[in-house]
Amino acid sequence: TLIAVAALSAMAASAMAASVTAYGTADLGVLFTNQKVAGKTTRSTTMESGLNSASKFGLKGEEDLGSYKVGFNYEGEIKADSGSSSLFQRLAILKVNGAFGALQFGRMGAITGGTNGGVMTSGMGGTGTSFKAGGTEALMVTETSRVNNGIQYKTPSFAGFTATVQYSLGTADDNGNLHNSDTFGAVTLQYSNNGLNVGVGFDQTKPANRKSLRNTHQPRTILGYVNYNFGVATAYLGYQYNEHKFVAPGYKYTSLGVKAAEVTDTKDPTKNAERTDYTSHVVTVAAKIPVAGGNLMPQVGYFKAEDKADAANDDIKGFNVAATYTYALSKRTTLWGSAAYVQGKQDNTKNKYTSLMAGMTHQF
């Protein structure tokens, strides 16, 4: 008993010295969807984890070494509806912070996305990447959400400006040869002052064996946002330009960019989606309005995509309309609900997606 107590005491002392913290989120809700694809209507009612915020468990720690701090952050997903989990698949980084800025290495979120440190999509609307079709990314194309073997540097703030650069030696595996690895690079510049926030970002994915692909463009994205807090409400404007080899924006919800004959799974049409060669533009307008002790977040968006690989050069157009409401019961617990409608048109075919969801999020 004495040995066990001594061991536990030593572990606790070590954890305190390194400032190790356990944290997490439990998010669960009910989602109803009505989807019409190629004239066929499919309805579903499901209980899902992570509709508002990913259900997760993590450990983070930091040691103060005087002029700088060294720390780590491990984070994995735990699905609140089933209990299934991944061990630190979301985040696994070593970090060094100081007056010089912030460095981190390992598996991390792409800075041009909205997961684990992504700085761009959250500036385009109050919902960020949450609430599926009701969120900021409903119409956007995200080539890379997380990368392995990443290196990231963020500058200190200079008169309200911060810059972040990120590079991955291999988004999946690092085989020691950059030309034969899928690599990713991104840069963002942000400005914040007195309620005004502005940001621009650029990323590019370079596939393995890219020397043989010189005649084809590599996936790249340009993003920008501006938002301003007027006191009574915050207004958001976002834009994305994308060159990509996947189905068009909105494919998660309307199956646009997928020929009707290729869709065999209406719940997840991307399983059979043909890789195509698109350029796309997305514009979003959103707001966050304090209402009845919570926040009402309306959003509208428009996208237009063009298939460069299609001889007919068909355009794809669509829009989304959404409204989300969140109410904080406490600093840790939030009730929420969201409704969204997405519609797109390609080759005179309209595909439609409607969703309603409600649930609760608890953080610890």
Side-chain angles (χ1 to χ4, degrees):
T1 302
L2 290 175
I3 294 174
V5 170
L8 289 172
S9 298
M11 291 173 63
S14 176
M16 290 177 63
S19 301
V20 177
T21 302
Y23 68 93
T25 301
D27 180 275
L28 194 61
V30 176
L31 170 65
F32 169 78
T33 65
N34 185 89
Q35 188 172 15
K36 185 176 182 180
V37 177
K40 181 179 179 181
T41 299
T42 303
R43 296 183 179 89
S44 66
T45 301
T46 56
M47 178 176 288
E48 294 196 18
S49 175
L51 292 172
N52 173 27
S53 178
S55 293
K56 56 185 178 285
F57 176 79
L59 295 171
K60 58 184 177 181
E62 193 171 70
E63 183 179 14
D64 193 338
L65 298 178
S67 60
Y68 62 97
K69 297 179 180 179
V70 176
F72 73 95
N73 197 172
Y74 292 154
E75 184 179 291
E77 182 180 19
I78 300 178
K79 290 187 176 295
D81 56 337
S82 65
S84 62
S85 63
S86 63
L87 184 62
F88 307 138
Q89 186 270 344
R90 289 176 53 84
L91 187 67
I93 60 170
L94 175 68
K95 56 184 180 179
V96 183
N97 302 327
F100 54 84
L103 273 168
Q104 66 181 42
F105 311 88
R107 177 170 173 80
M108 63 192 72
I111 57 175
T112 45
T115 58
N116 290 114
V119 298
M120 290 302 297
T121 55
S122 59
M124 298 179 181
T127 56
T129 58
S130 302
F131 306 109
K132 292 185 177 289
T136 303
E137 286 193 332
L139 306 179
M140 294 183 176
V141 177
T142 302
E143 295 288 346
T144 304
S145 59
R146 291 183 178 87
V147 297
N148 294 340
N149 310 297
I151 304 170
Q152 179 179 310
Y153 170 69
K154 183 176 182 179
T155 70
S157 178
F158 296 103
F161 287 93
T162 56
T164 307
V165 293
Q166 185 179 65
Y167 185 76
S168 168
L169 281 71
T171 57
D173 298 318
D174 176 12
N175 59 21
N177 187 326
L178 293 179
H179 290 290
N180 293 326
S181 300
D182 291 329
T183 61
F184 173 83
V187 58
T188 63
L189 178 64
Q190 295 173 284
Y191 173 77
S192 180
N193 185 34
N194 292 327
L196 175 65
N197 300 283
V198 182
V200 292
F202 171 82
D203 71 42
Q204 180 164 314
T205 302
K206 292 189 175 182
N209 303 312
R210 50 187 170 270
K211 286 186 176 180
S212 63
L213 301 173
R214 288 179 177 177
N215 294 329
T216 62
H217 73 250
Q218 312 304 324
R220 58 177 62 92
T221 305
I222 300 172
L223 305 95
Y225 71 82
V226 56
N227 64 67
Y228 184 76
N229 187 345
F230 292 92
V232 295
T234 302
Y236 300 82
L237 177 64
Y239 170 77
Q240 181 198 53
Y241 168 78
N242 201 298
E243 296 180 3
H244 49 103
K245 289 184 174 297
F246 295 90
V247 291
Y251 76 93
K252 295 178 182 178
Y253 310 108
T254 65
S255 301
L256 292 176
V258 186
K259 305 302 181 184
E262 295 167 354
V263 180
T264 60
D265 186 342
T266 56
K267 289 187 176 181
D268 188 4
T270 61
K271 289 181 179 179
N272 307 96
E274 177 187 77
R275 292 194 173 212
T276 49
D277 195 5
Y278 280 105
T279 61
S280 59
H281 301 268
V282 181
V283 178
T284 59
V285 178
K288 179 186 288 186
I289 308 167
V291 175
N295 289 307
L296 176 64
M297 293 172 286
Q299 176 180 304
V300 296
Y302 172 81
F303 71 80
K304 180 179 180 180
E306 187 176 7
D307 186 357
K308 296 294 186 180
D310 192 333
N313 215 19
D314 296 320
D315 287 344
I316 304 171
K317 299 178 181 179
F319 67 90
N320 86 317
V321 180
T324 300
Y325 183 76
T326 61
Y327 182 84
L329 295 177
S330 68
K331 291 183 179 180
R332 297 180 180 273
T333 304
T334 301
L335 297 176
W336 47 262
S338 182
Y341 175 77
V342 186
Q343 177 177 298
K345 183 178 180 181
Q346 179 185 21
D347 296 334
N348 296 316
T349 299
K350 285 186 179 180
N351 295 333
K352 304 176 182 179
Y353 178 95
T354 303
S355 68
L356 296 170
M357 66 180 75
M360 176 185 292
T361 303
H362 177 74
Q363 297 176 323
F364 61 90

